[in-house]
Amino acid sequence: ALVGALERRGVHTGAVVRRRGRTGTVIIERTASEHERYVSFRPDWGPRFPRLRLPRAVTTLHLAALDPDPDQVATYETLARTVKGRGGTVVLDLNARPRAWRGRARPRGLKGLLAHVDVCKASERDLEMLRSPADRDALADTARSLGLTAGATLVVTRGGGTAHAVGPYGLVARRPPRVTMRRSVGAGDAFCAKLLQQMEAGVPSQRMAVRRLLEAAHAHAARRMSQRAEDARA
């Protein structure tokens, strides 16, 4: 059903790999006070993590849902190195969920992966799980401590607060629009989707380009969340 939905929207699915096993699941519990609690399940990939081969036409790679599993990190690093070897672009959404990362050390191969990343998107919570500072005045140090190269961009989101991007152009700050929504599930994915679309012509290297990129990503995520709130009310 998911593959069919993508195909109907014009997305090429020839590289989709199907295999047996359970997919990840998130259960959202709504409390009486309108707060939400998330309980997530991620499969234990172990040594069965698929050894993916990228079609030669792939020159932009988006990686997400990073776990502290050395086998997963090694697979991501191989894919990233392949795309960079083609002169392509690699984007990583850390998405370091507490259930997977709490109490776990960074895998040794993480810096090797991040060395091939052009844009790394992280939330404050992601950086907390990786024991990296999210203070806006130290984001350049955070990028270096993660293993990003001098030419890479680190984007840090803070929910409804101001997002920052830091790279060779310096520091850029943009505040997202305020929207009414019932839940924030999917906001980060919507943000990254627009980020990738805006980057289609190449990784931004100038301050104004990054500012426009953040504005577009924020606006798209806000529209998606507003639409979900309207759908829920209907």
Side-chain angles (χ1 to χ4, degrees), residues 5 13 24 34 77-78 87 108 116-117 120 133 136 159 187 189 199 208 212 220 231:
T13 60
E34 294 296 303
E77 194 272 336
T78 298
R108 285 180 295 176
H116 298 292
V117 170
C120 178
R136 59 161 292 173
D189 293 326
M199 287 171 54
M208 189 58 68
R212 287 197 300 266
H220 178 70
D231 293 343

Side-chain angles (χ1 to χ4, degrees), residues 85-121:
R86 299 172 182 175
T89 302
V90 179
V91 179
L92 172 66
D93 179 5
L94 282 177
N95 200 18
R97 294 301 184 214
R99 186 178 178 87
W101 282 88
R102 186 173 286 117
R104 299 281 296 275
R106 294 187 195 179
R108 285 180 295 176
L110 184 58
K111 282 200 171 184
L113 164 61
L114 286 161
H116 298 292
V117 170
D118 295 292
V119 177
C120 178
K121 184 265 183 190

Side-chain angles (χ1 to χ4, degrees), residues 28-37 181-183:
I28 305 172
E29 180 185 20
R30 207 108 192 269
T31 66
S33 60
E34 294 296 303
H35 287 94
E36 295 173 344
R37 188 171 72 95
M181 60 184 181
R182 290 175 65 88
R183 59 173 58 101

Side-chain angles (χ1 to χ4, degrees), residues 148-167:
L148 293 170
T149 63
T153 290
L154 172 64
V155 178
V156 180
T157 57
R158 294 177 166 83
T162 301
H164 293 88
V166 65

